[in-house]
Structures are given as C-alpha cells and as structure tokens.
Amino acid sequence: MIRQLPRLLLTVLALAASVSMASPPAGTLRLCADPDNLPFSSAAGPERGFYLDVGALVAAHLGLTTDVVWWRTFYGARAVRNTLLADTCDVYVGLPAEAGYMDRRITVSRPFLDVGYAIMAPTSMAFTRLDDLKPHRLAVEFRTPAQSLLASKDGFNVSTFRSAEEAVDALGRREVDAAFVWGPMAGYLNARKFAGAYRVVPVAGEGLQWRVGIGVRKGDAALLRQIDDALGHLEVEIRRAAERYGFPLTAPVELTGAPSVESPATPAAPPATPTAPPAPPGATPSTSDAVTAGRAVFNQHCSHCHSPNAHSPEPSRDLRRLRIRYGERMTAVFYETVTEGRTAKGMPPWKEILKQDDISRVLSFLESVQSSP
C-alpha cells in the first residue's frame, strides 16, 4: 500500500487538475471577484457588492447564470493573471477602461461607471476650490493620489490614515473636518454608517478619476460584443445599483485649477518696468527655484515613507536631521543612499527612476529644511 501511495496521489492530483481545467457548465458566466472588498464584492453577508451586481445584471441579460471565482485584489496584477488570464473565470468586472492600464492580453468593454476620489464633508462646509479647505483638518489615505496632491501644496492641515475607512471614521469622531478619500468607499460608508449625513463631492484632476468596464481575454471577441451590447441596455439598472451602495454619481468638480481666494492676481507691472530676460538654455536655476522643484519631486516620490515636506514624526525617517547625523558627509551619504538604496531597510535604489537633476533638486530642498544642531 505504501508503494502504491505515490501513484494513487498522482492519480488524485491528475483528476483534480482535470476538474479545475474543465469547461464551465453551459449557460454559466464565471465572474472574477475579491471575497472581501465591499462595496464592490463580498463572499459573505447580505450584500454581494456592486461589481457582482453588475455581473449578475449582464449575465441575466445574456440569459446566463453566474459563478464566482474568488481572488484577493491586494495581490495587484497577480489577481488578474491567476483568474482571468489563467482561464479560471470569464470576466473581470471593474477594470480600468482607459487604454494602457491593463495587460495587452486583456480587452476592456465600454465603461459603465466613473470612479475616483472625493471629499466627504459636513453639508455645512462650503468649498469651491481646494484652498477653501486650508482652514480645516483633512484626512487622507496613505499612498493615494489624494495624499500626493495635498503633499505637493503648502498650507494644508493633513492627517494620514492606513485606509479610507479609518479616515472616514476619524471624520465621524470629529477628529478631522473632512476626508479626501476613495469616492465609492466614502459614499458607501456615508450611506451605511451615517445615514447620508455628509456630502460626498467627486474631485477632478490628474490621477483622481477614471472609468471602469468589464475585462475579458483578448481572444473572446464575441463575448466582448455581447457584454458591450448588454451594458448599453443596462445603464439605468446599473445606475440604480450604484445609488443603492451610495456611490457619488455627480460630475467631478475641478477644485485644483481654480485660483486661490487667498492669493489674488498680482496687477500687471507698468510698461516702463523692465523685465528680466529669459535664462539661456543650460543655465543653473536659482536656489529658490531648485528648492521649490525639489520639494515637488520629494513629495511625489518620497513622502509616502518620509512624510510630506520631510516632516516625519519618526526620528529614523526624519530627513530634517541629516546634517545633525552626518555633518559634512551629508551630501555624500545622501547621493549614495538615494542612488544605490538601502534595501535591507526598505529603501530602493532611485538611480534608474529619478533623473540626476531631480536628485540634485531633492538635495537642495532637504538642505533648506535641515534642523540646527
């Protein structure tokens, strides 16, 4: 029996493999979904999630039933590779519809929903531009476009949280005055936890909004055509489903491009006032220009670990103390660390990512914020 065990085990594995590779039952549309990703999908509880509801609507329109293949989306691209591209499911609801976002082996349907970031605030808080929020305490989620946007600007009072839900909970406890977070989550929590007490305003801007559709494998052209046709007939039902989950469906507001009320336009100089000629190509920028440019590069690429404007409360990540730590060696240590990285401490090398000029500008910025010994 012991000698027969390996052969028996191989037989069982072969049978399991044949079952997993078998074609789905006729009349079934297999949906790829995350088991714990409300308001989009859930394997437990009374709510299935918006993406599963959309998949069920499409399947019903095509005369099909649904089956769900679960895979957690925090695995990133592997979630698509191990489900849709592995042929364990037929469609992936909620993939970005814009060209260039997805694997070339995937085609995405016509978009069925606009999603993005939004500001969740009390109905009494009026704002028409981003600068109107400067007097208020704002919550953002760590490593999101909303955090990066506010980190690139001065004068905002920002608290960072690990998740959109934590940021919204802080708003509910009145620890902050508004939350700048993922719009669908803000709308869902506003509806479920706060009975719609807050206003959720989608915000337009680069990287803040995009459209989602249904992804299929590139060879499934016939299925894609059927899905596109179904989505065209289901617009009203899909919008109703989004409303049930509290998603903000108003047009995004452009808050970032409006002029600041605190900075009125400067009157034009009289004609007799001479203007400085433009700097010749290759000229070295002024120190203040280099600091400003360096702050922007730092907040875009480094603030997720070292905090916006290098103001980290954690001593080991507080880059305002580089001069205190390294003295005259600060510049050499900076260049070595940034270009080669410190992988053992989680610092990647940036020499293949940032241009040399940008690295120099970051140094100029950091030199401007060094603490005195």
Side-chain angles (χ1 to χ4, degrees):
M1 181 64 182
I2 294 178
R3 292 179 180 178
Q4 293 176 350
L5 184 58
R7 181 176 297 178
L8 178 60
L9 180 60
L10 289 174
T11 302
V12 171
L13 291 175
L15 287 172
S18 66
V19 170
S20 64
M21 294 301 291
S23 299
T28 301
L29 185 67
R30 299 172 299 172
L31 309 177
C32 322
D34 189 317
D36 185 22
N37 190 32
L38 281 176
F40 294 109
S41 57
S42 176
E47 293 183 306
R48 289 168 51 84
F50 173 71
Y51 285 164
L52 288 183
D53 287 352
V54 170
L57 285 170
V58 170
H61 186 84
L62 300 179
L64 305 173
T65 59
T66 60
D67 191 14
V68 183
V69 175
W70 303 109
W71 190 276
R72 294 188 180 276
T73 52
F74 59 64
Y75 287 114
R78 282 186 291 169
V80 175
R81 287 199 302 266
N82 287 280
T83 54
L84 186 60
L85 292 177
D87 196 19
T88 62
C89 53
D90 304 309
V91 300
Y92 209 119
V93 182
L95 295 185
E98 279 75 9
Y101 270 87
M102 294 308 304
D103 191 296
R104 65 181 182 276
R105 295 169 291 176
I106 293 172
T107 305
V108 181
S109 72
R110 61 187 291 175
F112 62 83
L113 185 72
D114 293 339
V115 296
Y117 287 84
I119 292 174
M120 180 175 174
T123 56
S124 60
M125 182 185 294
F127 54 90
T128 58
R129 56 183 63 85
L130 205 59
D131 281 359
D132 292 342
L133 298 171
K134 283 184 176 180
H136 302 285
R137 300 165 299 170
L138 304 178
V140 296
E141 183 182 357
F142 181 56
R143 298 188 73 171
T144 61
Q147 184 200 29
S148 298
L149 173 64
L150 295 180
S152 67
K153 300 180 180 298
D154 295 325
F156 287 94
N157 181 4
V158 179
S159 297
T160 303
F161 296 85
R162 290 178 299 178
S163 68
E165 187 168 5
E166 289 183 1
V168 169
D169 285 344
L171 173 62
R173 295 190 300 268
R174 299 185 180 181
E175 295 172 2
V176 297
D177 303 314
F180 191 0
V181 294
W182 182 230
M185 178 61 76
Y188 177 72
L189 293 175
N190 185 38
R192 297 299 185 269
K193 283 191 172 185
F194 305 106
Y198 294 94
R199 184 164 58 120
V200 181
V201 181
V203 178
E206 184 177 357
L208 295 176
Q209 298 288 330
W210 58 93
R211 301 178 299 169
V212 294
I214 298 177
V216 302
R217 290 178 294 279
K218 204 166 188 69
D220 292 341
L223 177 59
L224 180 65
R225 287 193 297 270
Q226 291 178 312
I227 290 172
D228 278 336
D229 179 70
L231 291 175
H233 287 86
L234 294 169
E235 291 179 357
V236 174
E237 290 87 343
I238 290 174
R239 184 177 181 87
R240 287 173 181 165
E243 290 173 345
R244 286 197 301 271
Y245 288 94
F247 290 3
L249 300 176
T250 56
V253 177
E254 180 60 70
L255 299 180
T256 59
S260 170
V261 294
E262 300 174 4
S263 304
T266 303
T273 303
T275 58
T284 303
S286 68
T287 301
S288 61
D289 289 342
V291 169
T292 300
R295 179 188 290 109
V297 175
F298 180 91
N299 285 332
Q300 179 180 359
H301 296 284
C302 315
S303 62
H304 62 279
C305 285
H306 296 286
S307 296
N309 298 320
H311 291 182
S312 176
E314 184 179 341
S316 64
R317 295 176 182 266
D318 186 355
L319 300 186
R320 295 169 296 178
R321 300 178 59 82
L322 292 176
R323 184 73 68 188
I324 295 174
R325 290 181 204 148
Y326 302 109
E328 295 181 356
R329 296 181 55 244
M330 171 184 159
T331 299
V333 171
F334 168 82
Y335 276 111
E336 179 182 357
T337 303
V338 172
T339 56
E340 302 301 327
R342 290 183 177 177
T343 54
K345 296 186 177 181
M347 170 76 174
W350 290 88
K351 59 185 177 182
E352 303 297 335
I353 302 174
L354 293 179
K355 297 178 180 178
Q356 184 61 41
D357 288 347
D358 284 336
I359 295 176
S360 298
R361 293 182 182 110
V362 170
L363 177 60
S364 296
F365 162 63
L366 291 178
E367 287 176 335
S368 75
V369 298
Q370 291 306 298
S371 303
S372 301

PDB file of all heavy atoms in Angstrom, residues 175-192:
ATOM      1  N   GLU A 175     -12.529  64.082  14.644  1.00  0.00           N
ATOM      2  CA  GLU A 175     -11.095  64.329  14.786  1.00  0.00           C
ATOM      3  C   GLU A 175     -10.559  65.112  13.599  1.00  0.00           C
ATOM      4  O   GLU A 175      -9.496  65.733  13.677  1.00  0.00           O
ATOM      5  CB  GLU A 175     -10.353  62.996  14.912  1.00  0.00           C
ATOM      6  CG  GLU A 175     -10.702  62.227  16.171  1.00  0.00           C
ATOM      7  CD  GLU A 175     -10.098  60.832  16.179  1.00  0.00           C
ATOM      8  OE1 GLU A 175      -9.377  60.492  15.213  1.00  0.00           O
ATOM      9  OE2 GLU A 175     -10.348  60.086  17.138  1.00  0.00           O
ATOM     10  N   VAL A 176     -11.258  65.049  12.465  1.00  0.00           N
ATOM     11  CA  VAL A 176     -10.949  65.850  11.288  1.00  0.00           C
ATOM     12  C   VAL A 176     -12.250  66.480  10.800  1.00  0.00           C
ATOM     13  O   VAL A 176     -13.341  66.085  11.224  1.00  0.00           O
ATOM     14  CB  VAL A 176     -10.308  64.998  10.166  1.00  0.00           C
ATOM     15  CG1 VAL A 176      -8.969  64.430  10.615  1.00  0.00           C
ATOM     16  CG2 VAL A 176     -11.252  63.872   9.730  1.00  0.00           C
ATOM     17  N   ASP A 177     -12.116  67.449   9.897  1.00  0.00           N
ATOM     18  CA  ASP A 177     -13.299  68.163   9.406  1.00  0.00           C
ATOM     19  C   ASP A 177     -13.787  67.634   8.061  1.00  0.00           C
ATOM     20  O   ASP A 177     -14.949  67.858   7.693  1.00  0.00           O
ATOM     21  CB  ASP A 177     -12.982  69.652   9.270  1.00  0.00           C
ATOM     22  CG  ASP A 177     -12.502  70.256  10.580  1.00  0.00           C
ATOM     23  OD1 ASP A 177     -13.142  69.989  11.613  1.00  0.00           O
ATOM     24  OD2 ASP A 177     -11.483  70.968  10.569  1.00  0.00           O
ATOM     25  N   ALA A 178     -12.915  66.949   7.317  1.00  0.00           N
ATOM     26  CA  ALA A 178     -13.287  66.396   6.012  1.00  0.00           C
ATOM     27  C   ALA A 178     -12.320  65.279   5.677  1.00  0.00           C
ATOM     28  O   ALA A 178     -11.197  65.229   6.180  1.00  0.00           O
ATOM     29  CB  ALA A 178     -13.259  67.478   4.931  1.00  0.00           C
ATOM     30  N   ALA A 179     -12.768  64.369   4.814  1.00  0.00           N
ATOM     31  CA  ALA A 179     -11.931  63.250   4.375  1.00  0.00           C
ATOM     32  C   ALA A 179     -11.823  63.281   2.853  1.00  0.00           C
ATOM     33  O   ALA A 179     -12.846  63.329   2.157  1.00  0.00           O
ATOM     34  CB  ALA A 179     -12.515  61.919   4.842  1.00  0.00           C
ATOM     35  N   PHE A 180     -10.595  63.271   2.346  1.00  0.00           N
ATOM     36  CA  PHE A 180     -10.322  63.270   0.907  1.00  0.00           C
ATOM     37  C   PHE A 180      -9.878  61.846   0.552  1.00  0.00           C
ATOM     38  O   PHE A 180      -8.708  61.508   0.655  1.00  0.00           O
ATOM     39  CB  PHE A 180      -9.232  64.291   0.611  1.00  0.00           C
ATOM     40  CG  PHE A 180      -9.028  64.583  -0.859  1.00  0.00           C
ATOM     41  CD1 PHE A 180      -9.778  63.978  -1.847  1.00  0.00           C
ATOM     42  CD2 PHE A 180      -8.069  65.512  -1.239  1.00  0.00           C
ATOM     43  CE1 PHE A 180      -9.582  64.256  -3.184  1.00  0.00           C
ATOM     44  CE2 PHE A 180      -7.862  65.815  -2.576  1.00  0.00           C
ATOM     45  CZ  PHE A 180      -8.618  65.184  -3.555  1.00  0.00           C
ATOM     46  N   VAL A 181     -10.842  61.005   0.170  1.00  0.00           N
ATOM     47  CA  VAL A 181     -10.576  59.569   0.055  1.00  0.00           C
ATOM     48  C   VAL A 181     -11.271  58.992  -1.185  1.00  0.00           C
ATOM     49  O   VAL A 181     -11.902  59.712  -1.967  1.00  0.00           O
ATOM     50  CB  VAL A 181     -11.046  58.810   1.320  1.00  0.00           C
ATOM     51  CG1 VAL A 181     -10.227  59.208   2.539  1.00  0.00           C
ATOM     52  CG2 VAL A 181     -12.535  59.061   1.583  1.00  0.00           C
ATOM     53  N   TRP A 182     -11.148  57.667  -1.339  1.00  0.00           N
ATOM     54  CA  TRP A 182     -11.755  56.926  -2.436  1.00  0.00           C
ATOM     55  C   TRP A 182     -13.264  57.132  -2.405  1.00  0.00           C
ATOM     56  O   TRP A 182     -13.936  56.778  -1.443  1.00  0.00           O
ATOM     57  CB  TRP A 182     -11.363  55.473  -2.276  1.00  0.00           C
ATOM     58  CG  TRP A 182     -11.816  54.496  -3.307  1.00  0.00           C
ATOM     59  CD1 TRP A 182     -12.442  53.312  -3.074  1.00  0.00           C
ATOM     60  CD2 TRP A 182     -11.656  54.579  -4.723  1.00  0.00           C
ATOM     61  NE1 TRP A 182     -12.688  52.656  -4.254  1.00  0.00           N
ATOM     62  CE2 TRP A 182     -12.214  53.417  -5.288  1.00  0.00           C
ATOM     63  CE3 TRP A 182     -11.102  55.542  -5.566  1.00  0.00           C
ATOM     64  CZ2 TRP A 182     -12.230  53.180  -6.660  1.00  0.00           C
ATOM     65  CZ3 TRP A 182     -11.106  55.307  -6.933  1.00  0.00           C
ATOM     66  CH2 TRP A 182     -11.665  54.138  -7.457  1.00  0.00           C
ATOM     67  N   GLY A 183     -13.814  57.709  -3.483  1.00  0.00           N
ATOM     68  CA  GLY A 183     -15.201  58.121  -3.512  1.00  0.00           C
ATOM     69  C   GLY A 183     -16.225  57.023  -3.260  1.00  0.00           C
ATOM     70  O   GLY A 183     -17.154  57.209  -2.457  1.00  0.00           O
ATOM     71  N   PRO A 184     -16.130  55.859  -3.947  1.00  0.00           N
ATOM     72  CA  PRO A 184     -17.112  54.799  -3.681  1.00  0.00           C
ATOM     73  C   PRO A 184     -17.141  54.354  -2.221  1.00  0.00           C
ATOM     74  O   PRO A 184     -18.212  54.105  -1.664  1.00  0.00           O
ATOM     75  CB  PRO A 184     -16.661  53.669  -4.611  1.00  0.00           C
ATOM     76  CG  PRO A 184     -15.986  54.371  -5.740  1.00  0.00           C
ATOM     77  CD  PRO A 184     -15.278  55.532  -5.107  1.00  0.00           C
ATOM     78  N   MET A 185     -15.961  54.268  -1.596  1.00  0.00           N
ATOM     79  CA  MET A 185     -15.931  53.887  -0.190  1.00  0.00           C
ATOM     80  C   MET A 185     -16.539  54.979   0.684  1.00  0.00           C
ATOM     81  O   MET A 185     -17.303  54.694   1.623  1.00  0.00           O
ATOM     82  CB  MET A 185     -14.495  53.603   0.250  1.00  0.00           C
ATOM     83  CG  MET A 185     -14.355  53.235   1.724  1.00  0.00           C
ATOM     84  SD  MET A 185     -15.264  51.736   2.166  1.00  0.00           S
ATOM     85  CE  MET A 185     -14.161  50.479   1.480  1.00  0.00           C
ATOM     86  N   ALA A 186     -16.231  56.235   0.382  1.00  0.00           N
ATOM     87  CA  ALA A 186     -16.817  57.338   1.152  1.00  0.00           C
ATOM     88  C   ALA A 186     -18.341  57.328   1.037  1.00  0.00           C
ATOM     89  O   ALA A 186     -19.053  57.469   2.034  1.00  0.00           O
ATOM     90  CB  ALA A 186     -16.250  58.669   0.660  1.00  0.00           C
ATOM     91  N   GLY A 187     -18.839  57.155  -0.186  1.00  0.00           N
ATOM     92  CA  GLY A 187     -20.281  57.134  -0.369  1.00  0.00           C
ATOM     93  C   GLY A 187     -20.939  55.962   0.319  1.00  0.00           C
ATOM     94  O   GLY A 187     -22.023  56.098   0.926  1.00  0.00           O
ATOM     95  N   TYR A 188     -20.304  54.800   0.248  1.00  0.00           N
ATOM     96  CA  TYR A 188     -20.854  53.601   0.874  1.00  0.00           C
ATOM     97  C   TYR A 188     -20.914  53.750   2.393  1.00  0.00           C
ATOM     98  O   TYR A 188     -21.942  53.458   3.021  1.00  0.00           O
ATOM     99  CB  TYR A 188     -19.991  52.404   0.489  1.00  0.00           C
ATOM    100  CG  TYR A 188     -20.395  51.095   1.123  1.00  0.00           C
ATOM    101  CD1 TYR A 188     -21.548  50.436   0.728  1.00  0.00           C
ATOM    102  CD2 TYR A 188     -19.598  50.505   2.106  1.00  0.00           C
ATOM    103  CE1 TYR A 188     -21.924  49.226   1.302  1.00  0.00           C
ATOM    104  CE2 TYR A 188     -19.957  49.300   2.687  1.00  0.00           C
ATOM    105  CZ  TYR A 188     -21.120  48.665   2.282  1.00  0.00           C
ATOM    106  OH  TYR A 188     -21.476  47.469   2.852  1.00  0.00           O
ATOM    107  N   LEU A 189     -19.823  54.229   2.987  1.00  0.00           N
ATOM    108  CA  LEU A 189     -19.801  54.398   4.439  1.00  0.00           C
ATOM    109  C   LEU A 189     -20.754  55.509   4.869  1.00  0.00           C
ATOM    110  O   LEU A 189     -21.388  55.426   5.936  1.00  0.00           O
ATOM    111  CB  LEU A 189     -18.378  54.700   4.901  1.00  0.00           C
ATOM    112  CG  LEU A 189     -17.369  53.559   4.721  1.00  0.00           C
ATOM    113  CD1 LEU A 189     -15.972  54.021   5.102  1.00  0.00           C
ATOM    114  CD2 LEU A 189     -17.765  52.341   5.552  1.00  0.00           C
ATOM    115  N   ASN A 190     -20.852  56.558   4.060  1.00  0.00           N
ATOM    116  CA  ASN A 190     -21.791  57.630   4.385  1.00  0.00           C
ATOM    117  C   ASN A 190     -23.223  57.099   4.428  1.00  0.00           C
ATOM    118  O   ASN A 190     -24.005  57.456   5.314  1.00  0.00           O
ATOM    119  CB  ASN A 190     -21.667  58.739   3.334  1.00  0.00           C
ATOM    120  CG  ASN A 190     -22.532  59.947   3.672  1.00  0.00           C
ATOM    121  OD1 ASN A 190     -22.660  60.337   4.830  1.00  0.00           O
ATOM    122  ND2 ASN A 190     -23.129  60.541   2.649  1.00  0.00           N
ATOM    123  N   ALA A 191     -23.544  56.210   3.483  1.00  0.00           N
ATOM    124  CA  ALA A 191     -24.905  55.652   3.447  1.00  0.00           C
ATOM    125  C   ALA A 191     -25.146  54.635   4.547  1.00  0.00           C
ATOM    126  O   ALA A 191     -26.206  54.630   5.176  1.00  0.00           O
ATOM    127  CB  ALA A 191     -25.150  55.007   2.082  1.00  0.00           C
ATOM    128  N   ARG A 192     -24.159  53.779   4.806  1.00  0.00           N
ATOM    129  CA  ARG A 192     -24.376  52.677   5.753  1.00  0.00           C
ATOM    130  C   ARG A 192     -24.146  53.083   7.207  1.00  0.00           C
ATOM    131  O   ARG A 192     -24.857  52.637   8.099  1.00  0.00           O
ATOM    132  CB  ARG A 192     -23.442  51.506   5.401  1.00  0.00           C
ATOM    133  CG  ARG A 192     -23.678  50.882   4.037  1.00  0.00           C
ATOM    134  CD  ARG A 192     -25.080  50.303   3.904  1.00  0.00           C
ATOM    135  NE  ARG A 192     -25.260  49.610   2.631  1.00  0.00           N
ATOM    136  CZ  ARG A 192     -25.703  50.185   1.524  1.00  0.00           C
ATOM    137  NH1 ARG A 192     -26.019  51.480   1.524  1.00  0.00           N
ATOM    138  NH2 ARG A 192     -25.830  49.495   0.409  1.00  0.00           N
TER     139      ARG A 192
END
